Amino acid sequence: MRSDGERERQDPRLAAYRVLSDVDRGEFADRAAGRRLRGLPAADRALALELAYGSIRLRGRLDAELSRLLDQPLERLDPRVLGWLRLGLYQLRETRVPDHAAVDQTISGIRTTVGAGLTGLANAVLRRAAREGRRQDAYPDADHDPEGYLVSWGSHPAWLVRRWLARWPLASVRRLVENDNKPPPVTLRVLDASLDHEADLVPEDGVRLAAESDWKGMFRLAEGTPEQALRSLPCVVQDPAAAAVVDYVGDEVAGPAVDACAAPGGKTIGLAWRHREARPFVAADVSGARLKLLRESLDRLRLDVGLVRMDSRVPAIRRARTVLLDAPCTGSGVLRRRPDARWRIDQGRLHSLVGLQEELLEASATVLESGGLLVYATCSLEPEENEEQVESFLARHPEFRREPPDPGWVAEGTTDENGDLRVWPWVWDTDGAFASRLRRL
Ligand SMILES: C[S@@+](CC[C@H](N)C(=O)[O-])C[C@H]1O[C@@H](n2cnc3c(N)ncnc32)[C@H](O)[C@@H]1O
């Protein structure tokens, strides 16, 4: 008899199912996947990851169709069977797995993990789904019921969709939602500014990089693994939107410089590489485990940055000329990177993060010397975390003012009328980012 562990090491669908169950119990998808998929061979791991992440991302879409097929509320179903049904339907609708394999293997998964007694219903539902094919009438029409469409076909929570529709045209929200539903490409920031063209780069065999035409120094990993690329070039894995925050900080970064929420450290590395004169450079974070990742990157690139584990609301640093505060946020601009994040955030979480950001901003302001620069950044699209946070900070602090960046530091069209950085995912096909430069007078 094979043990559960052994079976998981060999069966990508079972491993994907375990990831789904872990996420239902509150674990982060990346952590669950790291643990559950560890023993699988590379091709099976890729399949398991696609099935798990895809079923989590598209849970809203899958559930809308399952509700129609089942003709009963999904809450009445055994959650284990529901997990398997999501995986089975995902394979039928979103992958090239042959229908019979998707159905048979799902049923066999239910038999081994739940019991033979519960296979009948699932069998009937999946066979019907396979027979009927996708029926677009399972989803509301985008023009007649935009919210219903974006919640079900778009697979986003209703509260978020409502907020977005109140702010932006339907076409933009549609593109945003579609962008979130696709696994993102791997992009790299090449740190050495002289290596600006593909022809200048000589990565190791098996690695091919394609320049991102809109973004200076950014390359898409067209072939090879991130590890290979990191081994052969001075670079970091980073989305163009995150790299834009580094550019937006500007040319004059003076020490002492503090990155107050630094880990895992893509922005620290970009800044520390470019501004070697800005020392001391301190990277702080409350998470020791995340700082460890930053330590590894700094060592790889031989960068002189001091690491401090601290709660930046009560900084252990007395004074700074430059502070980057890349604050913890809902991450509503990076939902494509974290398949489970959209189901995790809610209005309550948004509200408590706004409070935390405000405390971090206040503490950053107290360490900044006169004439110093504070850059506040998030990867959120929500006004409470972005421009409203900055406006209320400026109202409390007349000794600060916004200082727009020089033209040319960031790509044209990425700053707004206040000089804040705004990278909209639906415009650029990237993550989202916000940043504001605040000068202490
Ligand atoms: C948006 S991430 C930073 C990303 C990072 N700047 C980068 O480019 O890789 C926010 C970070 O804030 C850290 N954090 C959360 N609360 C904090 C606090 N009170 N003090 C310091 N760091 C905190 C988290 O551990 C997380 O690493």
Side-chain angles (χ1 to χ4, degrees), residues 127-141:
R127 284 194 194 287
R128 184 173 156 208
R131 206 171 47 244
E132 288 181 358
R134 168 137 44 224
R135 282 179 43 185
Q136 210 58 38
D137 64 3
Y139 305 97
D141 177 76

Side-chain angles (χ1 to χ4, degrees), residues 260-267 285-287 290 310-313 326-328 356 360:
C261 290
K267 298 185 191 78
D285 203 281
V286 78
S287 159
R290 286 164 73 83
M310 71 176 187
D311 183 336
S312 295
R313 288 174 294 180
D326 185 22
L356 173 60
L360 287 163

Side-chain angles (χ1 to χ4, degrees), residues 92 97-107 127 130:
L92 288 177
V97 174
D99 286 2
H100 64 87
V103 176
D104 291 351
Q105 289 173 10
T106 303
I107 301 309
R127 284 194 194 287

Side-chain angles (χ1 to χ4, degrees), residues 176-189:
L176 172 58
V177 157
E178 280 159 18
N179 196 50
D180 285 347
N181 287 342
K182 284 186 293 201
V186 178
T187 50
L188 301 159
R189 180 77 192 259

Side-chain angles (χ1 to χ4, degrees), residues 347-392:
Q347 309 254 32
R349 179 88 186 119
L350 168 64
H351 185 72
S352 71
L353 282 163
V354 168
L356 173 60
Q357 291 151 4
E358 189 180 315
E359 284 185 72
L360 287 163
L361 259 170
E362 285 301 317
S364 302
T366 56
V367 300
L368 198 71
E369 294 175 357
S370 303
L373 178 71
L374 166 61
V375 179
Y376 172 75
T378 74
C379 54
S380 166
L381 305 176
E382 310 316 306
E384 295 92 327
E385 301 183 271
N386 295 340
E387 63 271 26
E388 288 177 17
Q389 190 68 268
V390 170
E391 297 296 347
S392 81

